[in-house]
Amino acid sequence: MAQFFGVLGDANRWRILSALAVQDLRVSELADLVGMSDSAVSHQLRVLKGQHLVRYRREGRYRVYTLKDHHILTLYREVSEHLDEDL
Amino acid sequence: MAQFFGVLGDANRWRILSALAVQDLRVSELADLVGMSDSAVSHQLRVLKGQHLVRYRREGRYRVYTLKDHHILTLYREVSEHLDEDL
DNA sequence: TTAACATTTGAACACTTGTTCATGTATTAA
DNA sequence: TTAATACATGAACAAGTGTTCAAATGTTAA
């Protein structure tokens, strides 16, 4: 449980998830979008995969990553509301 | 957002929140319940307070901590379900 | 088959985080 | 007022985390 939340406790990982919420993407595309190196993105995708938050399919020589569980968006909205109360 | 999730990314903080979900507690009681030092609990309560997850009221020379936002329990349940899918 | 491309992997490093320990502050009982 | 209690705080340290860089792997185009 704590481990799962911990994975969501990083801004770059949220950037990756947000990008994937819009559309499936290759690693290099993700890297460009979120402004990280390919390698850093790859490392983080591994972490996200570890919590079954993303998965990939192979397309030619690319790996196209996709959001595995859209529940995460619900989670995002709920926490947003919680945080709005903090003003 | 990431910061909020990061705060939930620690097992000891969840232990504290879980204990407070049952009943309001003083720092020393919390420390006993979760098996941490008073000081460690105090440090973590500060972190939780920073995200408006707990608050306290003074009672005599004690501080009685209480869950400030029970939404957190909903969050817990939702993530539990997500994690159950990972089998 | 070979070269180029896309991504992963592992080691190294700086940075962050959580705990302990010693000390400080606030509150009440004596 | 003083001593004791309850808790907070800050510094210090170990352990954990995220990034970079170099090298390895897998895939396709030439």
Side-chain angles (χ1 to χ4, degrees), chain A:
Chain A
M1 172 66 60
Q3 199 178 353
F4 176 81
F5 280 101
V7 166
L8 297 182
D10 179 83
N12 280 339
R13 282 195 286 268
W14 272 110
R15 292 192 186 98
I16 292 173
L17 291 172
S18 302
L20 292 179
V22 178
Q23 60 178 329
D24 298 354
L25 289 164
R26 321 201 289 242
V27 176
S28 56
E29 291 174 323
L30 269 171
D32 288 345
L33 275 172
V34 306
M36 302 169 64
S37 71
D38 290 7
S39 177
V41 169
S42 185
H43 277 296
Q44 299 301 7
L45 285 171
R46 165 185 271 275
V47 173
L48 293 170
K49 208 165 31 172
Q51 295 299 322
H52 303 270
L53 287 167
V54 303
R55 74 166 114 193
Y56 70 90
R57 61 176 182 276
R58 190 167 273 288
E59 278 190 10
R61 52 192 186 191
Y62 309 111
R63 289 196 183 185
V64 178
Y65 277 84
T66 178
L67 225 53
K68 189 173 173 186
D69 183 349
H70 283 262
H71 282 54
I72 198 97
L73 302 178
T74 312
L75 218 63
Y76 185 95
R77 276 188 290 272
E78 285 182 15
V79 172
S80 291
E81 290 167 18
H82 164 83
L83 294 176
D84 286 346
E85 296 167 5
D86 291 359
L87 308 174

Side-chain angles (χ1 to χ4, degrees), chain B residues 9-21:
Chain B
D10 178 83
N12 280 339
R13 281 194 286 267
W14 272 111
R15 291 192 187 97
I16 292 173
L17 291 171
S18 302
L20 292 179

Side-chain angles (χ1 to χ4, degrees), chain B residues 31-72:
Chain B
D32 288 345
L33 274 172
V34 307
M36 300 169 65
S37 73
D38 290 9
S39 177
V41 169
S42 185
H43 277 296
Q44 300 301 7
L45 285 171
R46 164 185 270 274
V47 173
L48 293 170
K49 208 165 29 169
Q51 296 299 321
H52 303 270
L53 287 167
V54 304
R55 73 166 116 191
Y56 70 89
R57 62 178 180 274
R58 189 167 274 286
E59 279 190 9
R61 52 192 186 191
Y62 307 111
R63 290 195 183 186
V64 178
Y65 276 86
T66 178
L67 224 53
K68 188 172 174 186
D69 184 349
H70 283 263
H71 283 52
I72 198 91

